[in-house]
Amino acid sequence: MRVLLTGGAGYIGSHTALCLLEAGYDVVALDNLSNSCPEALRRVEELTGKKAPLIVGDCTDEATLENVFSQYKIDAVIHFAGLKAVGESVAKPLEYYQNNLDATMMLCRVMKKHGCEALVFSSSATVYGTYPEMPLREDCPTGCTNPYGWTKWISERILTDIAHADPTRSFVLLRYFNPIGAHESGRIGEDPSGIPNNLMPYVCQVASGKLKQLSVFGDDYPTKDGTGERDYIHVMDLAEGHLAAIRYAASHKGVEVFNLGTGEAYSVLNLVHAFEKANGLTIPYRITERRPGDIPVCYADPKKAAEKLGWTAKRDLTTMCRDAWNWQKNNPLGYNVK
């Protein structure tokens, strides 16, 4: 079975490529390299001893997609590709809506033309917006606070409507919580451009001396230590969730949505102290003002994925912290080929 990964050279895409290859799948990646690096897939090939061809191009471009589907017999697609920075989406809403929605619609159109019916979509827990009741279940009310989140929500709506209109389709929508960590080899990991937007790569860059200190946004939330609590999931657990989703899509029609999270909430300071303990390091930090739109607590109810996909997250916070630092210390400049 051959799986196309759009955005396959990115952080989650490259780890999923490795997981699929190890499970015996053939993998083809399509990536415009706007926020990723071909070195990631070269290392995936090195680790697995298997090829993962990379086509450099954009999945908003019909001719590019036609070439991929004509050259390779694609049996299923995992759709990671898209612009993904929340702050940037607020500043550039039109760019986000056009890119992310066009990519989803163009992909569905070309897939249908080539008889490819199974798609796993990279969605996000941002679709739950500020819904306050925890844990978050797949049937909780949705609604977003930024254009990035709305592009995920609207893409989910588009895919749901297509699946309802066409009973041959099989769409699985995966709502991620907070992926962190890296492959245990330290050969592939998260390589953000510029100053990181997410907590773990920021902590890693402070640990390496690249950044002076960590900013903790708010210590007056109604949580155990006053800092925001989130559901952190190891990226390899997340990758294995995609493998389970591809298997599910191969044997089920229609559309299903699943949370991919651990079901546990860790605060910012929990994570910082776990990182220090796991790696024998000290992370200097300072408390700053809350960020607009941040909510006190966000974590998943992952029961549906356990019941229907047979998937649960297995790696604990210590492992996430250890693997994240193993990647950072062995790759202080990331893939260093940009």
Side-chain angles (χ1 to χ4, degrees):
M1 183 176 183
R2 182 172 287 114
V3 183
L4 172 65
L5 308 185
T6 70
Y11 174 44
I12 302 171
S14 58
H15 288 78
T16 301
L18 184 146
C19 188
L20 290 170
L21 288 168
E22 288 186 334
Y25 290 78
D26 294 322
V27 168
V28 177
L30 172 65
D31 202 302
N32 67 8
L33 303 182
S34 63
N35 191 34
S36 58
C37 181
E39 176 67 9
L41 286 175
R42 191 196 70 75
R43 294 188 185 187
V44 165
E45 292 182 339
E46 169 196 294
L47 289 165
T48 62
K50 299 178 180 180
K51 292 295 183 183
L54 170 64
I55 294 88
V56 178
D58 201 297
C59 62
T60 62
D61 182 67
E62 185 172 9
T64 297
L65 286 175
E66 284 286 350
N67 287 339
V68 173
F69 278 83
S70 297
Q71 183 177 355
Y72 299 95
K73 184 185 181 302
I74 303 298
D75 299 298
V77 177
I78 303 180
H79 182 31
F80 296 108
L83 300 173
K84 63 176 186 177
V86 169
E88 185 182 59
S89 79
V90 175
K92 300 177 179 179
L94 182 59
E95 184 177 341
Y96 268 68
Y97 283 115
Q98 183 167 356
N99 181 84
N100 291 3
L101 300 181
D102 282 358
T104 298
M105 291 187 288
M106 185 62 70
L107 183 59
C108 286
R109 188 175 296 121
V110 176
M111 284 177 64
K112 184 62 179 177
K113 182 177 176 181
H114 290 266
C116 181
E117 308 290 1
L119 180 141
V120 175
F121 177 62
S122 169
S123 191
S124 167
T126 58
V127 302
Y128 294 114
T130 57
Y131 186 70
E133 295 182 19
M134 299 293 148
L136 292 165
R137 301 182 315 277
E138 290 84 352
D139 59 357
C140 285
T142 53
C144 306
T145 61
N146 56 75
Y148 164 74
W150 282 117
T151 67
K152 294 297 187 184
W153 187 93
I154 296 169
S155 288
E156 283 194 8
R157 186 71 257 166
I158 290 168
L159 293 168
T160 300
D161 289 343
I162 291 171
H164 287 164
D166 183 352
T168 68
R169 301 274 196 163
S170 178
F171 293 161
V172 179
L173 317 179
L174 300 179
R175 293 174 179 169
Y176 309 163
F177 280 70
N178 295 73
I180 61 174
H183 188 258
E184 64 182 2
S185 67
R187 294 293 289 154
I188 58 172
E190 188 169 9
D191 185 17
S193 300
I195 296 176
N197 290 310
N198 298 325
L199 177 59
M200 182 59 89
Y202 205 108
V203 169
C204 286
Q205 291 194 15
V206 172
S208 69
K210 191 173 182 180
L211 296 173
K212 183 178 179 182
Q213 63 182 358
L214 173 70
S215 294
V216 176
F217 298 106
D219 64 348
D220 58 350
Y221 287 105
T223 60
K224 289 180 181 177
D225 62 22
T227 63
E229 294 180 347
R230 297 293 182 268
D231 188 335
Y232 297 102
I233 177 172
H234 197 293
V235 67
M236 286 305 300
D237 279 327
L238 195 64
E240 289 164 6
H242 289 79
L243 174 60
I246 280 290
R247 288 171 173 161
Y248 183 89
S251 58
H252 295 79
K253 297 296 182 183
V255 60
E256 286 280 4
V257 58
F258 296 100
N259 289 332
L260 292 187
T262 66
E264 295 188 52
Y266 295 100
S267 74
V268 173
L269 292 182
N270 282 156
L271 185 144
V272 169
H273 297 323
F275 186 94
E276 291 176 324
K277 184 176 180 180
N279 299 304
L281 298 166
T282 300
I283 304 299
Y285 66 87
R286 66 187 180 97
I287 306 297
T288 63
E289 294 296 316
R290 293 187 185 187
R291 291 182 301 191
D294 276 355
I295 58 177
V297 181
C298 180
Y299 65 100
D301 181 339
K303 290 188 183 72
K304 184 180 177 183
E307 292 168 359
K308 290 199 170 188
L309 298 181
W311 171 90
T312 55
K314 300 179 179 67
R315 297 161 179 88
D316 62 14
L317 187 62
T318 297
T319 304
M320 299 180 212
C321 293
R322 183 195 64 217
D323 289 347
W325 177 237
N326 188 40
W327 154 256
Q328 180 68 43
K329 71 182 180 183
N330 287 305
N331 303 271
L333 300 177
Y335 289 112
N336 195 28
V337 291
K338 293 184 178 179

